[in-house]
């Protein structure tokens, strides 16, 4: 018989608060057209994107995260000292070590929480949310801060006609805490590493260090392959998340997919047969693709504008480089 004492966590977990930060500089498609041969109409028709935000030198990964975290903590009605875990999902923090989560934890006054970074691309928020739920229910932390943050403008090749218009910067954060009822459903997540080459960094940091190439690495993708995968496979994952939560599309109030491309969003809505009453996040139009930050940023905007309200049932799904994905049903804070 085991002598290990069982964990004393909460029976369930929930999202208690949400916060976001968008850089002050708004970049319209006209700026992108200065370096690629395209048009505003083409960009909008292919992606739905009209503007995106790009960070200044002062709007670092840490600075944006701290702003979003402060809003989420205030929204949750707790103090920074109560945070027992900080999880940061990002692919654009350029220091291999230490984890940026440790700096953020210190700067927000969280004391000595567990703090670590994860790299799961555009599914990173879902991965972080799942880890946070486990920390709360197993008792290793009462409150966990989950941040998705990116400065993808640093990894954008402005001469690449296929990707130059896609990416934006920003940070989104949520606080996960204890609940007496299930407010974060089971996660359907996974990876398809055989498709890893469809979204990738052009060159490794090692190759860049050694002088080949002389151009700073950027994110590139095989657009049509990614589009087909997202449209046909991710709708299946979204349905599995609904099934795992024990609900149907009719039970949903809100759908918050990764804000990669509005055509992908429209296709998923159609495939899932979402009823007209379901509010669909379309933050991509003015924020672009912010990878790990896109879902919490979209969630924050829907709540701020009143398009969604506290207590609504929402399906969230992220998908991207890896290829990786994560979907779950949550109750909005």
């Amino acid at each position: 018989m085991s002598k290990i004492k069982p964990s004393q966590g909460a029976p369930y977990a929930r999202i208690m608060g949400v916060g976001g930060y968008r850089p002050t500089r708004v970049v319209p498609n006209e700026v992108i057209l200065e370096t690629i041969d395209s048009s505003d109409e083409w960009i909008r028709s292919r992606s739905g994107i009209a503007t995106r935000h790009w960070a200044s030198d002062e709007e670092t990964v840490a600075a944006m995260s701290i702003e979003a975290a402060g809003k989420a903590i205030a929204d949750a009605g707790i103090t920074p000292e109560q945070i027992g875990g900080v999880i940061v999902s990002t692919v654009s923090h350029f220091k291999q070590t230490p984890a940026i989560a440790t700096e953020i934890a210190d700067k927000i006054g969280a004391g000595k929480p567990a703090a670590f970074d994860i790299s799961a691309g555009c599914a990173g928020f879902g991965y972080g949310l799942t880890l946070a739920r486990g920390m709360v229910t197993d008792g290793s932390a009462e409150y966990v801060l989950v941040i998705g943050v990116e400065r993808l403008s640093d990894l954008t090749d402005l001469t690449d006609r296929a990707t130059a218009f896609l990416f934006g910067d920003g940070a989104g954060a949520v606080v996960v805490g204890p609940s007496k009822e299930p407010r974060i459903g089971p996660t359907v997540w996974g990876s398809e590493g055989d498709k890893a080459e469809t979204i990738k960094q052009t060159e490794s940091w090692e190759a860049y260090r050694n002088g080949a190439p002389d151009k700073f690495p950027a994110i590139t993708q095989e657009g049509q392959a990614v589009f087909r995968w997202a449209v046909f496979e991710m709708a299946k994952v979204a349905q599995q998340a609904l099934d795992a939560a024990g609900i149907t599309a009719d039970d949903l109030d809100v759908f918050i997919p990764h804000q990669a491309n509005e055509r992908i969003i429209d296709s998923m809505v159609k495939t899932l047969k979402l009823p007209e009453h379901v509010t669909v996040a379309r933050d991509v139009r003015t924020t672009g693709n912010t990878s790990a930050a896109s879902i919490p940023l979209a969630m924050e905007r829907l709540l701020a504008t009143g398009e969604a309200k506290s207590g609504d049932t929402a399906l969230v799904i992220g998908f991207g480089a890896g290829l990786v994905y994560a979907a779950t049903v949550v109750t909005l804070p």
Side-chain angles (χ1 to χ4, degrees), residues 172-304:
V174 299
V175 171
V176 177
S179 175
K180 295 180 180 179
E181 299 177 348
R183 299 292 179 89
I184 302 175
T187 301
V188 177
W189 56 355
S191 64
E192 297 184 31
D194 60 317
K195 301 179 181 65
E197 292 296 302
T198 56
I199 305 175
K200 64 180 182 180
Q201 184 172 306
T202 50
E203 297 289 343
S204 69
W205 298 120
E206 181 181 27
Y208 180 69
R209 180 192 64 187
N210 293 335
D214 57 3
K215 191 174 184 179
F216 195 75
I219 297 173
T220 186
Q221 68 176 29
E222 297 173 17
Q224 287 302 314
V226 173
F227 182 86
R228 288 193 298 270
W229 176 76
V231 167
F232 296 111
E233 298 302 322
M234 291 304 98
K236 298 175 185 176
V237 172
Q239 183 60 54
Q240 290 169 14
L242 291 175
D243 295 341
I247 66 172
T248 68
D250 290 336
D251 298 314
L252 281 178
D253 300 303
V254 184
F255 179 44
I256 311 178
H258 166 48
Q259 302 293 293
N261 180 307
E262 194 165 30
R263 291 172 63 205
I264 293 174
I265 294 170
D266 289 340
S267 295
M268 293 182 73
V269 168
K270 183 177 180 180
T271 302
L272 289 167
K273 297 182 172 64
L274 296 185
E276 289 188 7
H277 74 262
V278 176
T279 297
V280 179
R282 299 184 185 278
D283 196 42
V284 67
R285 294 172 177 172
T286 56
T287 307
N289 179 346
T290 55
S291 189
S294 79
I295 289 175
L297 278 174
M299 183 184 295
E300 185 258 355
R301 174 160 283 173
L302 288 175
L303 289 166

Side-chain angles (χ1 to χ4, degrees), residues 96-145:
Q96 193 72 34
T97 192
I100 194 65
T102 59
E103 177 183 340
I104 293 166
D106 177 64
K107 292 290 178 60
I108 65 173
K112 298 180 180 179
F116 56 95
D117 299 349
I118 59 174
S119 176
C122 304
F125 175 74
Y127 275 53
L129 184 64
T130 303
L131 294 172
R133 181 189 63 197
M135 292 168 71
V136 171
T137 57
D138 76 11
S140 62
E142 186 175 11
Y143 302 103
V144 180
L145 178 65

